[in-house]
Each structure stands twice: as C-alpha cells, then as structure tokens.
Amino acid sequence: MHRIEEIMKNLLSLLLVLITFFSFSQGKSTLSGYITDVKSGEAIIGAKISIPSLKQGTVTNTYGFYSLTVEKGNYVIEFSAVGQKTETRNIDLTNDVTLGLEMGAALSELQEVTVNAKKGENVNSTKIGQIELDVEKIKTLPAFMGEVDIVKTIQLLPGVSSVSEGGQGFYVRGGGPDQNLVLLDEGVVYNAAHLFGFFSVFNADAVKSVNLIKGGMPANFGGRISSVLEVNMNEGNNKRFRVKGGIGAISSRLTIEGPLKKDRGSFIVSGRRTYIDLIMKAAIPDSSPFAGSGYYFYDLNLKMNYKLGEKDKIFLSGYYGLDKFSFRSNEDDFKVDMPWGNGIAAFRWNHLFTNKLFMNVTTTFSDYQFSFLSDQDQFKFSLKSGVRDVGAKVDFSYFPNSRHKIKWGADYIYHTFTPSSISAESDSVVFLDPSNAAKLFSHESALYVMDEFDLNENIRINAGLRYSMYQHVGPFTRYIKGDGISTQDTSINYDKGNVIKFYNGLEPRISFRWLLKDNSSIKGGYSYNYQYVHLTSLSAVSLPTDIWYPTTDKAKPQQGWQASLGYYRNFFNDKYEASVEVYYKGMKNLIEYAEGVLPGDDVNDNTDNYLVFGNGWAYGIEFFLRRNFGNFTGWIGYTWAKTERKFPDLNNGKVYPAKYDRRHDLTVVGSYKLNERWTFGAAFIYATGNTLTLPSSWYVQDQALLFNYGARNSTRMAPYHRLDLSATLYGKKFKSKTDELTGETVQVKKKYQSNWSFSVYNVYNRANPFFLYVDNDGDFLQGDFKISVKQVSLFPIIPSVTWNFEF
Amino acid sequence: MKYTLILLSLFSLFLSACSKEVKIDIPGYEQQVVIDGSIETDAPPLVLLSKSNDIYSPTNLDAYLENFISGAIVTVSNGLTTVQLDEICTDNLPAGTEEIAAGIFGIPAAELANFHLCAYTSFNTDIWGQVGKTYNLTVTFDGKTYTSSTTILQSTPPVNMFYKLSGSFTDKGYSWVTLNDPPNQYDAYKLQYKRSGKPQFEDVWNPFFDDQFFDGKTFDFSFDDKTTYDDPNVPDNVKGYFNLGDTVILKLSKLDRSAYEFFEKKYNQLFNAGNPFSTPTNVPTNIKGGALGVWVGYSPAYDTLVCIP
C-alpha cells in the first residue's frame, strides 16, 4: 500500500505544479461561455471558436462550454459548428469576456446550410483513431428492418467489425466485444443490444452525438482495453414543445421534448416498442399449442436539464430497456420466459469555478439483468445473471491559456456481479436454492491527469497518466475441487468487506500531431489500459447469456497496450478527408472458458475455476477516405488486419486466430441528396469470413457417432458481402403564404414535417454464412449414413418502410 | 443444463434461418485409435478397438466395419493380477455368446459370422470386476501403447420404485425411482432398464448424471420406455409409456468422475450437434497415450418394479 500512497502523492504534487505554472497569465484575457442552438437551446458539442489573426482556437466540450485565453487585444473571432452558419464577432479582449452564443440566429429559414465547421479537424486535432458520426446523416443510410442503428453504422468504419450478421457486438482492432467501453451520457452500458443483438439499445431519435475512440484513448477514459463508444443523448428543446416519431415495420417511436422553464431547463422523453408479439398473437390462434408465445422489446430514454445560474447546470439522464421472449407449448405444459434488460441513470452537475476552470460531477447507476425461467410439469428451473454498478466521478477541465488544456479527475465504481444464480425444484424438493446465489463484489477506482498542449506551431501533444485500482472484496466463497476419490471438494469463506485481492496499475497515454502543411499531418499514439471486468461467452455467437465476471484472486485484470501511427491529409479545400493508420495492439490475461465446459458446470462452484487465461495481439492498417460536405457524402474504408491468441490451455498451447480475425474488410457508404424531396443512401460491405472450429474427424463409441474437432478456429467461412440501399422522401418543407404587409408571396417553413424512409437490406440476396455445422443423417448400420457440412444464413433480401414525422 | 438447447429451439422458431450444404476445408485430421472399454462387478472386462476417420471419408456400412481393429495386445491389471485379454472375433464366437456380440456391434446375430469384428475379453474370473478395486488397462497396437485406469465404486441402490398412471390413462404411466444420494461425496450414475424377458438393458434417454444438483438429497424421478418410440406397433399417442402390469428391471450403476466426464460430454455432443450456442466440445478421454475413448468401471445395483400404482 505504501507504493500507492507514494504514487498518489506524486500525482498530486505534479498537479499542483502544473496549476501554479499555468496560472501565470498576466497580460492575458479569457473569452469563455456556452454555445447553444438558437432553435432548441441545446448545447452544441465541438463548436469551433477561432482567432484567425493568432491562428489559435478551441472547441466546446460535451456541455457546450469553451474557454480561450489569449494576449489582451481586439480580435475578430469566428464561431462555427456543423449545420450552423459561421458567425464572426469583433471582441475587445482587454478584460475577460463571458460570451454565451446562440448560433443559427442569422439564418434564414430558406437557407440550407452545410458549413464546413469541422474543416481541418481531421488534420489538426491530436485525435488519432477517433471518429465522430453525425446522427442526422446516419438516418439517411440504409437501415435494417427500418430501424436506424448507430452501432451498425459504427461497424461500417475501418477497424471495426461486427460479431456476426446483424449483431450488435463489435470488435475494434482485434479486441474482444467486452473490451469496448460503451457510455450513454457517461453511464456504462453492459449489453448494448436488443433481440439477440439485432437491434441497438440506442434509439436514434434520442441521440445527439456519437464518438468512437479506437486508439490513443485519452486518460479520462479507462476500464476497457480496446475502445470507447461515447453516446450523448439529446437534452430537449428549451424554447418550445416538439413531438417527433416514426412508424416502422417492426416498431414505433415517439419523442416529446420541451422546456421545463423557457431558456433555463428542458426535458426529453423518447420511447420505442416493437410489435412482433402482437403480430404473432394475431398469427397464432388461442387454440394453438403455442398460444402465448412471443417476443417484444421496448426502451425509454429520459433526460432533463436545468440551469441553476450562470455557473451551475444539472442534468438527469435515464434509460430503461427490456426484452422479453416467451415460449409456450401448451400440450407439453411447458413454458419459458426470458426477460433481459438494462437500466441506466446518470446525474450530472456542471460548475464553473472561474472562466478557466470547469468541473463536472457525475453519479451513475447501471444495471443489466438476464433471466431464464422455465416450468414443465412439476419441474421449475431458473437462471439469472447480471451486473450492477454504482459509481461517481469528478472531472476538472482547466484552460490556462490557448496552448494548454488540462484535465484531471477521479472515478469510482462499486460493482455487484451475479454471474449465475440457478434454482431448480421439482414438486417439493428444492435442488438448488437461489438464495445462496454467488454474488461477487468489488471496488474499482482511478485517478488521472492529462494535458493537451502545443509544443510549437506544428507539434501538439496530448499526454496523460491514469492510475487505476481494484479490490475484490467479500463476502466470497472460494471452492477448491477434489478428484472425488481421494480428495473431496473444500472451500474457503471470506467475510463481508474482507479484501480478497488488490490490483493496481499505471496507465500512461500519449498522442501527438505533427502538422506537415496546412492540409496534412502525422499523428501517433500510445496507450496502456487495465480492464477489471470480463465478458465470458460459452457460445459461438454473442448472446444475452454471456456473463460479466469480475477480476478475482484467480482471474487477473486484462491488460492492453496499443501503438498507432497515422498520416492525415485533406484534399480539394478540405472537401475530402483521408487517413492511413497502422496499429499494433498487445493483450494480456485474456479470458476464455476452458475446453469442454458446459453451461451450469459452475453451479455451486466459482465460474473462474472453469476459465483459462492467455495472451493476444493484433495489428493492421486502415485506409479511410471521407467526404463530409455537399450533396454527396460518404466514405470508403479498407482494413487489412490480423489478430491471434495464445492460451497455454487451449489448442494445445499453439497460436490460433481469433474468432473475428479478418484479413480484409471493405466498406463503401454513400448518401446523395438529389433534391429537396429525395435523398438516397447505399452501403456495401465485403469482409473475410469469420473463423470457427468444426469437427475434422469422426469415430464410433458404443454405436454412437462422435466428432473430434480440429485446431481451434482453423476453418474459415465464406466471405461476407452485402449491399443495402435506401431512399428517403421528404414532405414539402415550405408552403406559400401572402405577406399581409407587402402582399408578396413568401415561402415559410411548415411546422409539420414528415418523411418516408425506404430501405432494402441485402439487395442481391446473398446467403451469407451465419454459422456452419456438421450434420449427420441416416443410420450407420443401414448404410444410408451421411455426414455433411451445412451453412446457415440468416437474412435474405428484406425491404422495409418507415414513416417519420415531427411537429 | 439443456437451457442453451431450449434457447436454440426458441431462436430457430423466431428466425426462419435457411441452410445449405457447403464444401469447406476442415484441416487437422489425424488418425487415432479409439478405445471403448468397460468392466463391471462380477463381469469380465470388455474392450473394443477402432480408428477415427476424416470427416469427409465414406460413412457406409463397410467403413463402419473396417474401422474395428484386431491384432492388438490388451492387458488388464487389478494391482495383484495382470491378465492379457483374449481376442474374440465374430467369425469364431464361443457358443451362446452370439446375442451378446450382436448387441455390442449392432449387427444381427445371424450375420455375425460374415464379418471379422473382434473384441477383447477374458474368461479368467480373477480379473472380473470387484467393488473397491482399481483396474489398469494397457493397449499396445502398431508400436504404440495406451494406458488408463478406472475404479469400481460402492454401488448406491435405489430406495424405492413405483408406478404412476399418466393423465387420464387407466393403464399407461411412467416408472418412478426414489434415489437417496450419499452426502458430501461426488457421485455419478448410469441408469438403464429392461422389461422382463428382454435380453439387453436399455439406456434411458440421458443415462448419465451426477450429483452436482442433488448431493445428499432424497428425491423421485421418472423415466419412460424408450423402446416404444421405435416400435411401429405402439400408436404415437401412447409412446413412452409403460403398461399397467409390466415388469421393469432397473440397473443403476455408479462410475468414477473421469469416466463420467467422457459420458457427460458425449451426450452433450449428441444433443448439441450443430447448435451454434454451444462451444465445440471434444469428448475428453481418460486414456493416456493419444487414443480417444473411455475405460470405465461400473458397480450396478438392481431393482424390480411391477407396474401397478
């Protein structure tokens, strides 16, 4: 423990030195404030504030706040943001100025704007391996079954691949699906999927911004070793009430937003529900043996914010989603119910200490639960698993001058894991009592400090250090297995609060940008991360039954490091952005189930007694060309990559390719605005097939045919490719009106807007492999026995239509 | 735990997945010897040897028959006595063993003489199974030696058997067993039955189970008559039932943990073939030296039920 105290002491002194050092800013003035949208009052994230004469500038943070400190003087200052007209102000900065700006005011309703606010960002920022997506653009791309899906769009980016056809799980640069930190308004989302992963939990109507960090993770993020997917919810319109919604093939949505108090606070409520169960109910008559079977999911997003004063603002965000699968076989008196879902809540408080020091305090609650309940005759069986987090964090942003942006903070999470709680009873005999479910408890915490600074005109560096700690605490029972003959099973009990194991580690992060010319730069990054929670999966496909398991005395924290280097260049006056990035990633203490483990083996035992540990690595090169502006937008991404694993206890200790090791991954995504009424979209994907393990031989024991599997992941499925198309037809946005004063006919924007969105998934009906299996048919002794390899495909061509409205 | 299996069924109901046959390269085949050996209380050891085959190799009757190995040296030792087993082949069977051989190989007794299928056993009663003893197996074939070991444990007889009519039937029902599992020790079981007059014991649907969920508990469970499902004379609506008045003989054997793991995974593989939710699971062997298969010792206990409620 001495070492920790020492490290903490050093960190704090470093921080003090930094603050004192940067506080010497005599002869300088600070311009600060919030930037909001004039129509909705919502904070604008990433708006750019620049002083062309000084070649200096900054961008607004997640809460729309900016702070820029420069030499005293009179300046022309430019404010720009995506979808907004650039505004220029002449500002006298002989003293500090607080300027809250509502952007978009000068815009005539008739003018459509596509201002290149992010112009140069690609080349200029230190962000390496980061991609931001525009939610409104995502809405014009083809959508599976008409459901606009952020995660599926993320999967179209280079370096990101989907777990399986239609799946929500995603792999970033050869890392596992549990190595992505998915945040919804800073609350951790443990299972970002509905319906076995085919639909995202993120309702696009409720989402404001999406940011993916696949390399060079800044020090304020931690707890996962591969990537961060940061999703921010809309705040709600604080000017007027608005309603929007959509009716689709499988679900409908409705969003209501409005002011709590005009210009001070607002709310937004967004709900979505599928109606597959209602269709099934209609299709299955009450007399059917399967009456009562069905499936549905719904989710609800809620957010409120309120400005307490010029310096304080509070936010409350909530998400609740539930999936429920029911199966009834009335003849066999057999029923199954399978509900699962996430609940997330976050309360945030923004406080401005000075015009240079911004603080955000967040408390979060995150809960994911899965249940499987079956009932047949007198036999009842239930399986439950879940994870619950209660956490708090505080982040400080300090803007001493235009050359430095310093952030520091701390976070803490208390985890409660229920890997599996099984109960079984027949008549009056209870085989397994759920009350003795093995729960695991742990504390995870971290401190960090980072500084983004300009070394000179061309070189900008973002350096940070994160220190993370983890304690696995009691109550806990460690089971030790005997061989059943000479030694029997024993166990060790730990009492509540007892520390079973403590881990800690330093996580250095650094990235740099070296500007070569105005339109090109080289960027590099290195990050080291610890991960204390693990997703363990027994199945070949991602399922809600995959369980989250904490680090224990036996399961060590996963560790990962990544180095990346990229060349960034913009063409044709920044209309096109291009980048090439190479990366290498090393991973330690990865987790898999031991060979031959079956579900339920860990009942009355510790799950980690069935886990094995090993290492992995991944490397690749990613090419990305994007056009963000104009009537035609889209991107082409290509990735060449390789990712492998080595576990002493798997595959005879030999290196094997990861399940999602893909050599080639190509995506072409485009959206074309033909006119005011029609916008078309297309997406094409080509990917090397996933690997899997199939039986390489058969043998016979007691007249039963058994299979022996070949090397792990040694078989490769056929390549995956697919084309999706979409078209959106907008209703007339304007109507003619006679101006009463002048008598002229003018065009005014209609209050009520609607559109029809048409999508075709898998246009050329390719039977893509979902999984393969070895089938056997017939009777050996009759001579008609046959073994064959079968490929199962999920989705054929699927057209869909959705009607959206807002007023 | 068959819940993943149920998941699969639910899942496939929901999605009308389509499947087609494909030819795909599956590397990794290496021919291995397969040992299928058992010994039980008061019975001789019995060992069958065969080979594994490439997944795409032919699967006709000839391939099945050509699989069996003869010419191996097989010995069994109980620590005191070591006996080399005799090779007995279907074309040269001792009188009266035809039905047993037919059961072992799955070939009608009348046709056995047409094949040269061999098993290894011994008529030396010194090496027949005894409770509490550990039996070491050694197989030498083609210059390689394979070894294994199994223990015949104390048997656990069922406490009781009874018959319960099903639903509204007045003459059809299931057979029930009351089991009292010994507390604080690992127990694994194999359940078989036969109607009186039948030569062979039949395995129930899932004949192997251990006490993971019921250590030390006393409880009832039922089983159905599996043979009725293949019997064309039994109407569909009454398949699985025992008839009022039937006599059922139960055979409940104990086996050790390493052998149980083979059978547990074997049945898991048989049930889960092609299920994407299960991990590819090789059936683990308790044989050392690179062979597949199992060497298992059973200690059976018997009980008889006359089907009257």
Side-chain angles (χ1 to χ4, degrees):
Chain A
M1 292 297 252
H2 275 301
R3 210 180 134 224
I4 306 158
E5 281 168 18
E6 212 171 283
I7 293 167
M8 296 210 4
K9 229 161 71 186
N10 289 342
L11 278 175
L12 285 172
S13 4
L14 178 72
L15 205 63
L16 278 172
V17 170
L18 282 172
I19 292 174
T20 336
F21 174 73
F22 292 119
S23 299
F24 288 107
S25 48
Q26 282 95 345
K28 294 191 173 181
S29 290
T30 304
L31 173 70
S32 65
Y34 287 91
I35 295 192
T36 52
D37 184 305
V38 71
K39 290 192 280 305
S40 65
E42 288 217 20
I44 298 178
I45 301 173
K48 202 164 156 186
I49 300 93
S50 54
I51 306 180
S53 60
L54 292 179
K55 278 191 162 181
Q56 286 180 8
T58 189
V59 290
T60 54
N61 69 8
T62 317
Y63 305 95
F65 177 76
Y66 71 95
S67 171
L68 184 64
T69 301
V70 291
E71 300 290 332
K72 288 181 193 296
N74 231 317
Y75 298 106
V76 175
I77 298 179
E78 277 182 17
F79 298 82
S80 53
V82 174
Q84 308 284 0
K85 195 185 165 194
T86 299
E87 301 201 13
T88 309
R89 296 283 171 97
N90 233 318
I91 296 174
D92 175 14
L93 273 179
T94 45
N95 289 306
D96 290 353
V97 172
T98 305
L99 178 68
L101 189 72
E102 288 193 323
M103 290 189 75
L107 211 61
S108 142
E109 291 282 18
L110 272 175
Q111 273 178 282
E112 286 282 340
V113 274
T114 40
V115 175
N116 191 347
K118 299 249 165 175
K119 187 172 170 172
E121 264 293 282
N122 177 50
V123 164
N124 243 318
S125 78
T126 57
K127 290 174 180 171
I128 175 160
Q130 282 201 41
I131 301 177
E132 280 166 50
L133 287 176
D134 181 351
V135 180
E136 290 309 310
K137 288 265 167 58
I138 294 175
K139 287 181 179 170
T140 64
L141 296 178
F144 175 60
M145 294 195 188
E147 293 292 306
V148 175
D149 196 321
I150 298 164
V151 177
K152 290 216 178 85
T153 310
I154 292 284
Q155 291 168 350
L156 296 172
L157 298 170
V160 186
S161 48
S162 69
V163 173
S164 57
E165 164 119 45
Q168 284 291 316
F170 56 97
Y171 301 110
V172 178
R173 292 184 168 174
D178 64 333
Q179 295 172 356
N180 308 315
L181 179 66
V182 182
L183 296 173
L184 180 65
D185 272 359
E186 306 201 27
V188 176
V189 184
Y190 277 94
N191 179 16
H194 283 302
L195 182 60
F196 303 105
F198 296 128
F199 299 101
S200 160
V201 297
F202 303 115
N203 175 351
D205 279 354
V207 171
K208 179 177 186 171
S209 70
V210 183
N211 185 28
L212 176 77
I213 306 173
K214 47 186 185 166
M217 202 189 288
N220 55 325
F221 294 109
R224 300 289 188 282
I225 66 175
S226 270
S227 79
V228 181
L229 176 63
E230 213 188 348
V231 178
N232 285 305
M233 271 163 56
N234 280 321
E235 288 165 16
N237 194 314
N238 71 14
K239 308 273 181 191
R240 68 174 185 94
F241 283 92
R242 286 183 70 204
V243 176
K244 62 179 167 180
I247 296 172
I250 63 158
S251 82
S252 284
R253 292 165 278 123
L254 189 69
T255 300
I256 301 169
E257 57 183 323
L260 286 168
K261 190 176 177 189
K262 197 163 185 267
D263 291 333
R264 278 201 93 115
S266 60
F267 75 95
I268 179 167
V269 185
S270 197
R272 180 167 65 147
R273 193 194 190 281
T274 59
Y275 22 72
I276 309 164
D277 56 324
L278 305 176
I279 297 166
M280 279 173 85
K281 203 171 262 173
I284 304 172
D286 286 347
S287 56
S288 156
F290 301 112
S293 302
Y295 168 83
Y296 66 84
F297 74 74
Y298 65 83
D299 50 32
L300 203 61
N301 288 276
L302 169 78
K303 189 161 173 178
M304 287 189 277
N305 71 87
Y306 199 82
K307 208 157 111 186
L308 299 172
E310 283 312 308
K311 298 198 161 179
D312 297 278
K313 200 169 180 185
I314 52 170
F315 301 84
L316 182 68
S317 318
Y319 166 85
Y320 184 77
L322 183 82
D323 282 60
K324 191 169 175 190
F325 203 112
S326 305
F327 178 74
R328 300 285 182 274
S329 178
N330 301 323
E331 273 180 357
D332 301 330
D333 194 18
F334 175 59
K335 58 182 189 181
V336 166
D337 283 309
M338 195 165 71
W340 73 95
N342 284 288
I344 297 159
F347 172 76
R348 289 182 286 180
W349 167 43
N350 286 178
H351 178 70
L352 262 181
F353 285 101
T354 68
N355 53 12
K356 292 180 189 173
L357 184 60
F358 178 91
M359 178 189 74
N360 174 53
V361 177
T362 308
T363 55
T364 58
F365 170 82
S366 178
D367 184 53
Y368 169 66
Q369 302 295 333
F370 168 82
S371 307
F372 177 92
L373 315 157
S374 82
D375 190 339
Q376 184 169 30
D377 291 332
Q378 300 143 343
F379 187 77
K380 287 189 174 68
F381 171 81
S382 82
L383 178 143
K384 291 178 183 176
S385 73
V387 51
R388 175 171 295 176
D389 283 0
V390 179
K393 66 178 185 175
V394 57
D395 300 285
F396 293 90
S397 303
Y398 181 57
F399 310 90
N401 56 46
S402 65
R403 286 200 177 279
H404 285 269
K405 259 185 263 173
I406 303 169
K407 271 184 110 165
W408 69 93
D411 61 53
Y412 166 79
I413 303 170
Y414 180 64
H415 299 285
T416 307
F417 293 86
T418 314
S420 59
S421 150
I422 296 185
S423 76
E425 55 188 280
S426 173
D427 248 350
S428 55
V429 181
V430 177
F431 294 102
L432 289 164
D433 183 358
S435 64
N436 60 15
K439 285 196 173 173
L440 293 100
F441 306 90
S442 54
H443 303 283
E444 184 180 343
S445 51
L447 297 169
Y448 75 88
V449 56
M450 61 191 260
D451 182 13
E452 185 173 275
F453 59 97
D454 290 334
L455 203 63
N456 59 36
E457 288 259 314
N458 298 325
I459 296 177
R460 180 176 290 174
I461 290 172
N462 184 331
L465 186 64
R466 187 179 175 89
Y467 169 67
S468 61
M469 290 165 281
Y470 178 88
Q471 283 180 316
H472 173 207
V473 294
F476 177 65
T477 306
R478 164 62 61 200
Y479 295 93
I480 299 156
K481 218 173 185 127
D483 64 5
I485 301 169
S486 57
T487 52
Q488 293 299 330
D489 300 350
T490 58
S491 61
I492 306 170
N493 283 303
Y494 295 90
D495 287 336
K496 191 176 175 185
N498 277 8
V499 177
I500 297 143
K501 188 78 187 173
F502 174 79
Y503 296 96
N504 66 331
L506 280 174
E507 309 178 18
R509 318 278 175 85
I510 187 159
S511 57
F512 72 88
R513 173 269 283 154
W514 177 25
L515 210 57
L516 301 173
K517 283 185 207 150
D518 269 358
N519 65 352
S520 64
S521 65
I522 286 176
K523 301 185 195 183
Y526 173 86
S527 60
Y528 197 98
N529 298 41
Y530 279 77
Q531 176 168 343
Y532 300 99
V533 297
H534 323 278
L535 185 69
T536 54
S537 174
L538 264 180
S539 60
V541 296
S542 187
L543 272 188
T545 53
D546 296 351
I547 59 167
W548 286 93
Y549 199 79
T551 293
T552 61
D553 51 332
K554 203 161 181 173
K556 306 228 168 353
Q558 296 182 46
Q559 289 170 48
W561 66 272
Q562 191 188 147
S564 46
L565 189 68
Y567 174 71
Y568 289 71
R569 187 170 171 163
N570 289 2
F571 298 93
F572 302 114
N573 194 22
D574 293 333
K575 258 188 185 152
Y576 291 88
E577 304 177 349
S579 64
V580 183
E581 274 184 44
V582 289
Y583 66 89
Y584 185 93
K585 180 190 251 168
M587 294 168 276
K588 252 165 67 175
N589 302 334
L590 299 179
I591 281 182
E592 290 282 355
Y593 271 103
E595 266 163 18
V597 173
L598 304 178
D601 276 357
D602 56 353
V603 171
N604 297 336
D605 203 339
N606 304 119
T607 302
D608 55 14
N609 282 338
Y610 298 87
L611 300 175
V612 293
F613 310 94
N615 297 336
W617 51 88
Y619 49 90
I621 181 163
E622 297 166 1
F623 297 86
F624 191 48
L625 176 68
R626 172 151 87 163
R627 188 183 148 115
N628 267 340
F629 311 101
N631 286 336
F632 180 76
T633 58
W635 69 81
I636 299 173
Y638 169 76
T639 309
W640 183 96
K642 193 165 185 171
T643 178
E644 292 177 315
R645 300 289 182 267
K646 189 173 195 291
F647 280 62
D649 299 315
L650 294 178
N651 201 40
N652 299 318
K654 288 185 200 139
V655 172
Y656 64 89
K659 187 156 60 178
Y660 37 87
D661 170 50
R662 288 185 190 160
R663 209 63 67 240
H664 308 283
D665 227 318
L666 172 76
T667 51
V668 182
V669 178
S671 169
Y672 179 67
K673 186 177 161 189
L674 180 71
N675 53 38
E676 290 306 318
R677 303 289 305 272
W678 284 99
T679 297
F680 298 94
F684 173 77
I685 300 154
Y686 175 92
T688 306
N690 278 1
T691 66
L692 80 169
T693 314
L694 284 181
S696 61
S697 62
W698 57 265
Y699 63 101
V700 177
Q701 189 269 338
D702 196 14
Q703 294 169 43
L705 179 106
L706 298 177
F707 291 120
N708 206 30
Y709 288 85
R712 201 175 173 94
N713 297 339
S714 60
T715 302
R716 203 171 269 285
M717 299 200 249
Y720 184 100
H721 52 90
R722 195 187 83 221
L723 174 71
D724 303 338
L725 296 174
S726 68
T728 310
L729 172 65
Y730 293 94
K732 285 190 178 131
K733 285 181 182 162
F734 301 94
K735 60 180 177 192
S736 303
K737 200 177 159 188
T738 311
D739 192 307
E740 284 172 14
L741 290 173
T742 60
E744 282 174 25
T745 306
V746 291
Q747 298 285 308
V748 291
K749 195 164 185 179
K750 285 175 160 177
K751 204 174 171 191
Y752 169 86
Q753 305 278 336
S754 71
N755 69 63
W756 286 92
S757 175
F758 307 91
S759 267
V760 184
Y761 181 87
N762 196 2
V763 170
Y764 54 88
N765 200 21
R766 154 104 175 152
N768 278 306
F770 180 57
F771 69 94
L772 305 181
Y773 68 100
V774 170
D775 188 34
N776 59 78
D777 209 14
D779 189 337
F780 231 125
L781 302 172
Q782 301 300 320
D784 60 355
F785 189 80
K786 191 179 172 234
I787 293 176
S788 55
V789 180
K790 295 263 174 77
Q791 170 184 305
V792 175
S793 303
L794 279 187
F795 301 118
I797 179 168
I798 302 176
S800 62
V801 57
T802 308
W803 179 67
N804 301 302
F805 61 88
E806 63 178 279
F807 55 86
Chain B
M1 295 302 102
K2 298 294 164 321
Y3 86 90
T4 44
L5 190 68
I6 298 170
L7 262 183
L8 170 76
S9 337
L10 297 177
F11 194 69
S12 23
L13 266 178
F14 186 74
L15 298 158
S16 48
C18 78
S19 86
K20 65 173 184 190
E21 190 175 335
V22 289
K23 273 280 169 208
I24 195 156
D25 180 39
I26 307 174
Y29 167 66
E30 218 177 296
Q31 191 175 76
Q32 283 173 284
V33 167
V34 182
I35 295 172
D36 178 11
S38 65
I39 182 165
E40 70 179 52
T41 321
D42 299 329
L46 178 70
V47 178
L48 264 67
L49 300 177
S50 58
K51 290 172 294 191
S52 68
N53 297 276
D54 185 86
I55 196 75
Y56 288 120
S57 68
T59 50
N60 50 30
L61 186 62
D62 287 342
Y64 170 71
L65 298 171
E66 281 164 16
N67 252 336
F68 290 98
I69 291 172
S70 58
I73 294 168
V74 182
T75 60
V76 174
S77 161
N78 62 8
L80 297 169
T81 315
T82 302
V83 172
Q84 181 179 341
L85 306 189
D86 305 319
E87 185 178 273
I88 295 173
C89 301
T90 49
D91 46 2
N92 189 19
L93 286 171
T97 60
E98 292 87 350
E99 278 300 326
I100 297 169
I104 291 169
F105 291 106
I107 289 171
E111 293 176 29
L112 281 173
N114 302 330
F115 305 109
H116 180 70
L117 305 175
C118 303
Y120 298 83
T121 188
S122 176
F123 298 101
N124 179 349
T125 52
D126 290 348
I127 201 66
W128 286 23
Q130 287 176 37
V131 170
K133 287 207 167 150
T134 297
Y135 293 86
N136 298 312
L137 172 78
T138 306
V139 174
T140 306
F141 177 74
D142 223 2
K144 283 188 186 147
T145 299
Y146 311 98
T147 60
S148 184
S149 175
T150 187
T151 304
I152 298 185
L153 303 166
Q154 192 68 45
S155 65
T156 301
V159 177
N160 184 29
M161 285 186 76
F162 57 95
Y163 179 70
K164 231 158 96 173
L165 291 172
S166 189
S168 54
F169 286 113
T170 54
D171 60 346
K172 307 259 183 271
Y174 297 119
S175 294
W176 287 74
V177 185
T178 306
L179 182 66
N180 179 5
D181 180 73
N184 305 321
Q185 66 172 46
Y186 179 81
D187 297 286
Y189 300 87
K190 179 185 188 185
L191 184 70
Q192 296 167 285
Y193 74 99
K194 68 175 178 181
R195 289 182 192 238
S196 65
K198 295 276 168 77
Q200 302 274 341
F201 277 96
E202 289 284 338
D203 292 350
V204 297
W205 283 112
N206 195 0
F208 294 90
F209 52 94
D210 71 0
D211 66 352
Q212 187 191 8
F213 299 122
F214 55 75
D215 182 40
K217 289 198 168 17
T218 302
F219 62 99
D220 301 331
F221 64 92
S222 65
F223 63 92
D224 55 358
D225 186 0
K226 203 175 85 174
T227 57
T228 55
Y229 293 96
D230 292 332
D231 188 343
N233 299 322
V234 179
D236 279 353
N237 63 331
V238 295
K239 281 196 194 299
Y241 293 115
F242 290 98
N243 293 318
L244 190 72
D246 279 351
T247 299
V248 180
I249 301 156
L250 183 86
K251 181 180 179 183
L252 182 67
S253 309
K254 293 283 283 286
L255 60 156
D256 66 22
R257 191 176 232 166
S258 68
Y260 172 74
E261 278 169 10
F262 172 90
F263 292 106
E264 182 195 27
K265 259 82 186 196
K266 168 185 166 178
Y267 276 86
N268 181 65
Q269 200 185 80
L270 294 175
F271 287 136
N272 278 323
N275 175 354
F277 302 115
S278 64
T279 33
T281 304
N282 275 328
V283 181
T285 179
N286 63 351
I287 292 157
K288 295 189 175 73
L292 299 166
V294 67
W295 169 237
V296 52
Y298 293 117
S299 59
Y302 299 90
D303 200 356
T304 303
L305 168 72
V306 178
C307 294
I308 292 167

